[in-house]
Amino acid sequence: MNYLARQLHLLKSSSWGLALPKGSLLNYLKLKSGKITDTLGNGGVYPPMMSLLTVQRCNLNCSFCMGVKKRADWQEHELTPKKLERILELDIVSKVLVVIFEGGEPLLNKDLPELISMCRKRGHLVGIVSNGILLAERVDELVSAGLCDTQISVYEDTLGRLSKILPKVMSKHLGKLPINTSYVLPKSQLLSAQKGEFKNFLDLINMLKDSGCSSLKITLCESPTISALDLTETLMTTDAVYDEFIDVCRTNLKDICFEGYKSNSSFMPSSKFSLYFPRPFEINNSGRICRLPWQHIEFDADGNYLVCCHMDTELDERAKNVFEAGVDNINHEKAQKIRKALLDINIPLEPECVNCVQNSESSFFRNV
Ligand code: SF4
Ligand code: SF4
């Protein structure tokens, strides 16, 4: 299923837009037409997408994880129907098209079906980002609650387990619940796969396709540090191995719709398995491409607002908490500075945005 088919599926899930929150489609068009300023809401553009940190724990323990804070009092930081109600009542959320439950691992949250159903009752479409390990156990109740889209993050370590879980899930839900997948591709892994003519990656893609999944989105690897981004593992325009890998995929993989970099997609909806490659990264800090601080709003279960996932240090600052200090705090000083710089080539980027892949041509669209 290519990008366009996925959007059509979402539109169909909202009764062709009729069930969406009032004014949300108009707001989306306003955003797409570029009518944005350094503030969100207040008569300007509202974010069309909202991510919620549903839990801050996981059933895996990946060494590179940025999404899990290991804390003893994790129970107090789970998203509950009561907390979600407060978030959904915020004016800034009123024009959200898609709510995404993520984590940690959102399938660990026992209230997830109720949380999904609360969002659907208000007209929002709902997706999850999950590692998929618990999907076979929970998928039926989630689909009944109104889940529209699923994105599974695939890792080297989970491939074996997913090769058993995904066919089980798809045997019941094929055609009803699209399962899209993503894989963060570090440079060192691709260089090592080159020695085996990329066979391990070809097998991975074929496994996902044969399981009935809709797509695989390859993502460039980047590691945020306190002051900037570590790009050691990021595939750059100078890395010939990336072009070689894509060519091998195009020669060896059949019946696949290639999207993004070196696309052969015809901009028509296609139900074929889609494989998305981002453009390789090229450092260009004079570019002003990132629109995440307008397209996307993110809260943890306690109402703390995050401009994007690179701004993790903001989580614990009470001043950014919309429950305690009011929704105007999504326009706090730092957020405005980030947005201002992303709108004006003459203003230096905030440190977190320097070398960010999202601010380059590599960033084509964000799935779910
Ligand atoms: S599956 Fe995702 S959230 Fe869980 S530990 Fe790994 S990277 Fe972190
Ligand atoms: S450029 Fe990167 S760090 Fe800056 S707002 Fe966009 S995603 Fe966040």
Side-chain angles (χ1 to χ4, degrees):
M1 180 186 274
N2 67 359
Y3 181 65
L4 202 56
R6 195 172 176 186
Q7 301 306 306
L8 280 175
H9 165 78
L10 286 176
L11 203 58
K12 196 171 152 202
S13 308
S14 68
S15 309
W16 300 106
L18 292 175
L20 289 170
K22 207 167 153 232
S24 56
L25 278 178
L26 211 62
N27 172 68
Y28 183 67
L29 294 176
K30 198 168 159 187
L31 175 70
K32 285 284 166 193
S33 71
K35 289 186 181 142
I36 50 178
T37 66
D38 59 2
T39 56
L40 276 182
N42 292 331
V45 158
Y46 286 64
M49 200 178 272
M50 173 169 70
S51 290
L52 296 171
L53 297 189
T54 318
V55 294
Q56 294 191 41
R57 59 193 170 109
C58 190
N59 47 352
L60 296 179
N61 189 17
C62 308
S63 55
F64 47 83
C65 182
M66 298 188 298
V68 176
K69 290 204 179 320
K70 294 194 174 75
R71 54 204 318 167
D73 60 346
W74 56 265
Q75 283 101 331
E76 287 168 34
H77 301 281
E78 305 266 307
L79 189 63
T80 61
K82 212 167 152 194
K83 290 180 188 175
L84 178 64
E85 190 63 40
R86 288 184 79 181
I87 292 174
L88 293 178
E89 274 170 8
L90 299 171
D91 176 57
I92 197 68
V93 172
S94 62
K95 294 184 176 53
V96 161
L97 295 170
V98 185
V99 177
I100 305 155
F101 291 102
E102 51 184 58
E105 174 47 49
L107 297 187
L108 290 174
N109 188 311
K110 64 175 176 36
D111 292 327
L112 194 54
E114 189 178 347
L115 301 176
I116 291 173
S117 154
M118 286 169 68
C119 294
R120 292 306 310 267
K121 279 185 190 138
R122 288 176 178 255
H124 308 294
L125 296 163
V126 179
I128 54 168
V129 178
S130 159
N131 60 34
I133 299 299
L134 296 172
L135 195 60
E137 289 162 40
R138 300 213 62 188
V139 67
D140 292 347
E141 53 175 342
L142 302 182
V143 170
S144 303
L147 181 66
C148 320
D149 193 296
T150 306
Q151 182 152 313
I152 303 295
S153 309
V154 179
Y155 307 103
E156 244 186 336
D157 292 357
T158 56
L159 262 179
R161 278 178 278 178
L162 288 177
S163 68
K164 297 190 183 81
I165 294 165
L166 292 173
K168 230 188 256 175
V169 171
M170 294 320 293
S171 67
K172 283 201 272 176
H173 296 282
L174 192 65
K176 288 177 265 170
L177 179 69
I179 300 224
N180 299 286
T181 60
S182 66
Y183 191 93
V184 178
L185 184 57
K187 190 192 299 189
S188 56
Q189 244 184 49
L190 198 60
L191 285 168
S192 130
Q194 189 182 31
K195 293 174 200 142
E197 296 172 359
F198 307 107
K199 187 172 175 309
N200 54 341
F201 281 115
L202 296 177
D203 288 348
L204 180 158
I205 297 162
N206 277 325
M207 182 279 279
L208 295 173
K209 177 173 168 267
D210 296 344
S211 299
C213 294
S214 301
S215 68
L216 169 65
K217 180 188 174 194
I218 299 291
T219 308
L220 299 183
C221 181
E222 49 169 4
S223 315
T225 61
I226 299 293
S227 56
L229 290 168
D230 176 0
L231 299 174
T232 325
E233 287 286 10
T234 310
L235 288 155
M236 317 285 277
T237 41
T238 44
D239 291 316
V241 62
Y242 186 48
D243 285 89
E244 186 187 329
F245 171 51
I246 297 174
D247 290 343
V248 167
C249 286
R250 294 191 64 152
T251 310
N252 290 281
L253 297 168
K254 302 295 169 217
D255 217 20
I256 280 189
C257 179
F258 288 88
E259 294 194 279
Y261 183 54
K262 297 196 165 192
S263 155
N264 68 354
S265 175
S266 63
F267 295 106
M268 292 294 285
S270 165
S271 56
K272 280 186 193 172
F273 182 85
S274 130
L275 179 54
Y276 171 80
F277 290 106
R279 291 185 70 81
F281 185 53
E282 185 166 21
I283 296 176
N284 174 11
N285 288 316
S286 59
R288 296 293 187 269
I289 291 174
C290 177
R291 290 295 175 262
L292 272 188
W294 292 270
Q295 292 167 348
H296 181 246
I297 196 166
E298 181 158 347
F299 293 112
D300 71 3
D302 303 319
N304 295 307
Y305 164 63
L306 242 72
V307 177
C308 73
C309 61
H310 293 165
M311 316 264 168
D312 194 41
T313 47
E314 293 186 356
L315 259 182
D316 293 321
E317 290 179 38
R318 296 290 99 184
K320 315 293 186 317
N321 187 294
V322 288
F323 293 162
E324 290 173 11
V327 77
D328 282 348
N329 278 285
I330 61 154
N331 290 316
H332 59 73
E333 197 187 337
K334 173 77 175 177
Q336 282 192 329
K337 271 185 166 175
I338 290 165
R339 296 190 202 116
K340 237 182 210 134
L342 286 170
L343 288 175
D344 188 343
I345 192 91
N346 299 309
I347 302 176
L349 289 171
E350 284 298 292
E352 296 86 344
C353 303
V354 172
N355 294 351
C356 178
V357 169
Q358 294 293 340
N359 192 36
S360 78
E361 296 279 327
S362 319
S363 162
F364 175 56
F365 55 71
R366 186 190 154 105
N367 271 346
V368 167

